[in-house]
Amino acid sequence: MSRVQVRSLWKAFGERSVLERLSLDVASGSFVTMVGASGCGKTTFLRILLGVETATRGAVTIDGEPLRAEPDRDRGIVFQR
């Protein structure tokens, strides 16, 4: 299991910010659920965690190490049908 830390994460597409000042700690072994209205940034945040999207500002670390640019066998995503 891995500890995930997000610090002051921002994501903007041109002039439009979709994530602002997002900070959270997820302890190793925790189960986390994200809920929110359509268009609030849930998928954008997941894409940043996966490594297919980059943050405009801020940092994401896993076990204290910067997030690698590419997903690997230890990090993936499953979409709901």
Side-chain angles (χ1 to χ4, degrees):
M1 298 287 172
S2 301
R3 178 180 183 197
V4 177
Q5 291 183 297
V6 179
R7 293 288 173 260
S8 299
L9 196 71
W10 290 69
K11 178 62 182 177
F13 295 99
E15 296 291 317
R16 184 167 187 236
S17 291
V18 294
L19 295 174
E20 296 180 353
R21 299 178 304 269
L22 177 64
S23 294
L24 65 102
D25 288 313
V26 179
S28 181
S30 295
F31 182 84
V32 177
T33 301
M34 292 187 340
V35 296
S38 178
C40 73
K42 298 179 304 287
T43 300
T44 299
F45 178 62
L46 289 175
R47 291 176 57 82
I48 291 170
L49 285 178
L50 185 59
V52 297
E53 192 75 54
T54 57
T56 305
R57 303 185 246 176
V60 178
T61 60
I62 298 178
D63 288 335
E65 298 293 321
L67 190 66
R68 291 186 296 268
E70 295 290 326
D72 59 19
R73 64 183 178 89
D74 293 328
R75 191 173 80 226
I77 191 169
V78 176
F79 288 98
Q80 176 180 330
R81 277 189 165 186

